[in-house]
Amino acid sequence: MKWRITALLAGVAAAAATTATIGFAGEASAATAPCSTAAKACVQLHTGKAWLMDHGSVLRGAVPITAGKPAFPTPRGTFRVQYKDIDHYSKQFNGPMPYSVFFTTTGVAFHQGSLKVQSHGCVHLSHADAVAFYHALHPGDVVEVVK
């Protein structure tokens, strides 16, 4: 009986160590967000990743994204959140854009969308990430989009 308890405890300790190692690895990659400390949201197009930030510290991310297709690229640069619409519908592209956070004056936004299909310039996020970005970002917040 003592052997079984010892084996069980050893297994729990190994699992905890593995979880801690995975947690540290995630934190290490999150710490490498490629944007300035002014950014509240950071998008890196070539890796297909985004982060929510606070004065240079990562709050969420890196999370997977899809961005604009070649004919409709997501613009690079520094922007400010313009407005938010939890239940936006695009008349131009005839489709829903839930949890939209618009950060350009030309209609480019973070929103819930397919992570397998490129957009018409917007940044697609999973449902959970779109909800998080929607609640964390506010008009005036800085969004940086880098290569």
Side-chain angles (χ1 to χ4, degrees):
M1 181 69 164
K2 285 183 181 179
W3 180 84
R4 286 184 186 165
I5 292 172
T6 303
L8 175 64
L9 291 175
V12 169
T18 301
T19 302
T21 302
I22 291 169
F24 289 129
E27 290 170 18
S29 67
T32 61
C35 295
S36 77
T37 58
K40 182 76 176 187
C42 176
V43 176
Q44 188 175 48
L45 296 172
H46 84 275
T47 61
K49 301 289 182 193
W51 297 260
L52 283 173
M53 312 286 296
D54 184 29
H55 297 94
S57 296
V58 174
L59 300 177
R60 185 178 187 101
V63 301
I65 62 144
T66 53
K69 50 182 103 182
F72 300 94
T74 301
R76 287 186 278 169
T78 301
F79 307 93
R80 290 199 176 266
V81 172
Q82 302 295 306
Y83 68 99
K84 303 181 338 179
D85 185 351
I86 199 166
D87 204 19
H88 189 77
Y89 189 88
S90 171
K91 292 177 186 170
Q92 182 179 6
F93 298 108
N94 193 31
M97 296 170 52
Y99 301 98
S100 290
V101 178
F102 292 89
F103 60 88
T104 73
T105 57
T106 59
V108 177
F110 293 106
H111 65 85
Q112 179 182 328
S114 172
L115 294 177
K116 296 183 180 186
V117 177
Q118 290 178 305
S119 72
H120 289 92
C122 288
V123 177
H124 287 173
L125 298 161
S126 71
H127 171 76
D129 293 328
V131 169
F133 275 59
Y134 183 85
H135 289 298
L137 296 172
H138 304 285
D141 285 344
V142 174
V143 174
E144 291 183 20
V145 181
V146 300
K147 183 181 183 231

